Amino acid sequence: MIVCGLHSEARRATVRRLLTAVPGSVALHHDLSTAARGTVVRTVRDATGTLSTGEAPLVNDCACCALREDLVPELERLADGGLTRLAVVELWDSVEPRAMAEVVAAHGERLVVSSVLTAVDPALLLPYLGNGDDLADAGLAAAASDQRTVADTWARQLEYAPVLALAESPLADDEDRALLAQLHPTARRVRIDGEGASLGELAAAALAGFDIEAAAARQHPACALLPQDADECGVGTYVWHRARPFHPERLYQALEELTCAAARSRGRFWLADRPDTLLAWDAAGGALCVESAGPWLAALPDAAWESVPPSRRAAASLDWHPAHGDRCQHLVFTSPGLDREGIERLLESCLLTDTEYAAGHAAWKRLPPAFDSLLEV
């Protein structure tokens, strides 16, 4: 199983509790902070203490690449020993679980990912989600080329895992807990210390099973399991769904305001001048990432639909429009103090007007290509 999280104290506490909760378990950790010396330090421990240590050299000057190369052989060595019931892979601070889960799963029946947990200190949830600093500036980069921020890394760690391990946090309040529930409403939440914590519940979560393909689908913009509309303890989630394209220039001019309108926003959107391209929206910490996520399903020939995963076809069917197919706007904003009306007004102003819409597809394609620089065209 895999335990991740930028909240390092909560992550370590989770691993300690797991080693106690599951007899015969060991924890494998690669410390990437030693990369400046040219190696990452590997540690294997159980509930009684350290069992072994070692080093793995950097690969292409990349600490995360060294982790990838060393992880599977170490897990296979533990499996060959026959004494390990559960290997707990404790990922270093900024390493994201999806990549490591897929590396492990690629080795078939010998290694099975039993679960993925993200450790959370609820009091730190909003500060980390609002931290737009580069990982490199925070000393958390996993490679020299790492351009991620604290906020976007934390958001992906949080949203990928089906289980959240919650540390006891006297500074956490109802707003923090409401924000956590709205950001990842389907997650199973397990207490790891304090009143109400249960070793049996943690052990069950660790061995519950994990579907790699389903987890990837939950994060794909075309079929992501996005949060639903909510309003609790001063925290709101606003879901905006429309079947009309954006005017590229007006949307581009509104990007900064929209990005800063919520602690977290994500989803998929449709530009009038790019009718075939499904665009992904991913914002946290005041920074926005806009990327092409491939074609809309309606843009594919019928013969290609058989190669599309069922989850994608199911998501498209929910959005299907007689004229546009699955092309739509589906954006979700979550934040304390959310200004729903302001966000709605701004988004609506970016859509094509009735006159622009009536001009038709040929006219839409002649609109100013404002997103070329963002999409590296």
Side-chain angles (χ1 to χ4, degrees):
M1 71 158 301
I2 293 172
V3 178
C4 70
L6 279 168
H7 299 173
S8 55
E9 289 302 319
R11 189 186 69 239
R12 292 171 191 136
T14 299
V15 174
R16 286 195 299 269
R17 295 286 283 177
L18 279 166
L19 293 178
T20 302
V22 183
S25 60
V26 299
L28 172 62
H29 176 61
H30 289 79
D31 185 352
L32 274 58
S33 67
T34 61
R37 303 202 305 263
T39 63
V40 299
V41 175
R42 177 201 325 114
T43 303
V44 179
R45 66 188 190 280
D46 64 10
T48 66
T50 300
L51 301 176
S52 67
T53 60
E55 293 186 345
L58 298 192
V59 176
N60 299 323
D61 198 32
C62 171
C64 198
C65 299
L67 164 59
R68 288 171 183 264
E69 292 290 323
D70 195 63
L71 179 61
V72 168
E74 281 301 305
L75 289 173
E76 290 179 334
R77 183 184 64 78
L78 291 170
D80 290 341
L83 300 176
T84 302
R85 180 187 177 198
L86 176 71
V88 180
V89 177
E90 180 192 349
L91 297 180
W92 187 71
D93 299 29
S94 68
V95 178
E96 296 185 29
R98 177 176 175 176
M100 294 304 112
E102 291 177 352
V103 165
V104 173
H107 287 75
E109 297 181 1
R110 281 203 79 190
L111 302 176
V112 176
V113 179
S114 64
S115 188
V116 175
L117 276 71
T118 296
V120 182
D121 179 340
L124 297 177
L125 174 60
L126 185 57
Y128 276 59
L129 197 61
N131 188 340
D133 292 345
D134 291 339
L135 289 176
D137 294 336
L140 296 172
S145 58
D146 197 337
Q147 296 182 338
R148 296 173 296 157
T149 69
V150 172
D152 65 45
T153 302
W154 171 234
R156 284 190 294 272
Q157 288 179 335
L158 182 73
E159 293 158 359
Y160 181 76
V163 182
L164 303 179
L166 306 185
E168 179 72 12
S169 180
L171 298 178
D173 58 20
D174 289 343
E175 181 182 282
D176 296 320
R177 287 181 279 271
L179 178 59
L180 183 63
Q182 291 182 36
L183 287 171
H184 197 345
T186 63
R188 178 178 181 179
R189 293 185 284 277
V190 180
R191 297 276 296 279
I192 59 170
D193 52 22
E195 186 177 349
S198 166
L199 288 178
E201 187 179 6
L202 185 59
L207 300 170
F210 186 73
D211 188 326
I212 295 286
E213 292 184 0
R218 285 197 301 270
Q219 288 202 314
H220 193 284
C223 49
L225 196 61
L226 297 173
Q228 299 298 303
D229 200 89
D231 191 353
E232 183 183 3
C233 299
V235 178
T237 293
Y238 174 58
V239 180
W240 187 75
H241 199 284
R242 297 291 185 273
R244 180 176 291 204
F246 279 125
H247 186 287
E249 195 169 46
R250 288 200 296 273
L251 179 63
Y252 187 83
Q253 291 170 351
L255 288 182
E256 183 175 358
E257 189 173 351
L258 287 168
T259 299
C260 296
R264 176 72 170 137
S265 58
R266 55 191 177 118
R268 55 187 178 271
F269 68 102
W270 170 29
L271 291 177
D273 65 323
R274 296 172 180 269
D276 296 336
T277 305
L278 188 158
L279 294 166
W281 176 290
D282 194 288
L288 170 67
C289 177
V290 170
E291 292 181 319
S292 168
W296 295 100
L297 194 58
L300 296 175
D302 291 349
W305 284 32
E306 289 301 318
S307 63
V308 175
S311 58
R312 172 75 188 277
R313 295 199 297 270
S317 69
L318 294 175
D319 289 330
W320 203 261
H321 183 279
H324 310 310
D326 57 330
R327 298 177 182 90
C328 70
Q329 319 295 358
H330 189 172
L331 299 175
V332 178
F333 298 78
T334 299
S335 187
L338 192 72
D339 180 7
R340 295 166 178 268
E341 291 76 16
I343 293 171
E344 181 179 22
R345 282 195 302 271
L346 186 55
L347 288 169
E348 297 287 344
S349 73
C350 297
L351 293 173
L352 294 186
T353 64
D354 289 346
T355 301
E356 291 165 341
Y357 184 77
H361 292 265
W364 301 353
K365 289 187 177 182
R366 294 194 296 271
L367 291 171
F371 278 73
D372 281 4
S373 59
L374 277 182
L375 296 169
E376 299 179 345
V377 172

